[in-house]
Amino acid sequence: QVQLVESGGGLVQAGGSLRLSCAASGTIFRFKFMGWYRQAPGKQRELVAGITNSDITNYAESVKGRFTISRDHAKNTVYLQMNNLKSEDTAVYYCHARDIWNSDYWGQGTQVTVSS
């Protein structure tokens, strides 16, 4: 009964910034991993950024230096700060979480559109 609720998507000009948030609602599980994926039209879904319980992060090469993922462990909430956005960042962004029992949860997706 876990839901991941995303917010913060929208339309932004190239070079601008957005902050995405993802908060768990309903039954709160203990997550060992949370991350953000994205899928652009005609492309495969890809991992953009992930963060572990020990706050070890990893990023797709295309976003390194521009995006920052962070996590509020107490709230089971993950954030994605996106700076210097590019047109190629346009995609539907999905929040993902994996709990300590290795169950996966997905958000509904939020549209990020970057105009050039």
Side-chain angles (χ1 to χ4, degrees):
Q1 204 69 28
V2 171
Q3 285 190 327
L4 302 178
V5 181
E6 299 134 323
S7 62
L11 175 65
V12 66
Q13 288 186 307
S17 299
L18 285 173
R19 176 180 286 184
L20 305 183
S21 300
C22 174
S25 62
T27 302
I28 305 302
F29 291 90
R30 296 181 63 183
F31 299 131
K32 66 181 182 182
F33 175 90
M34 297 188 78
W36 291 93
Y37 290 74
R38 69 185 181 188
Q39 187 166 24
K43 296 184 179 180
Q44 293 181 287
R45 185 174 297 187
E46 64 172 342
L47 176 65
V48 177
I51 186 166
T52 70
N53 274 349
S54 58
D55 291 332
I56 298 172
T57 59
N58 64 87
Y59 299 90
E61 291 293 332
S62 60
V63 307
K64 285 182 178 178
R66 300 187 297 119
F67 291 9
T68 303
I69 189 170
S70 59
R71 179 177 176 180
D72 184 328
H73 296 265
K75 296 182 178 180
N76 287 316
T77 300
V78 67
Y79 305 91
L80 185 67
Q81 179 67 45
M82 304 185 293
N83 296 327
N84 192 24
L85 284 160
K86 304 176 180 180
S87 295
E88 50 263 44
D89 295 319
T90 295
V92 177
Y93 284 71
Y94 297 91
C95 181
H96 167 258
R98 177 170 291 168
D99 65 23
I100 61 174
W101 302 279
N102 290 324
S103 293
D104 290 321
Y105 305 91
W106 292 91
Q108 78 286 349
T110 185
Q111 178 70 47
V112 172
T113 302
V114 183
S115 62
S116 60

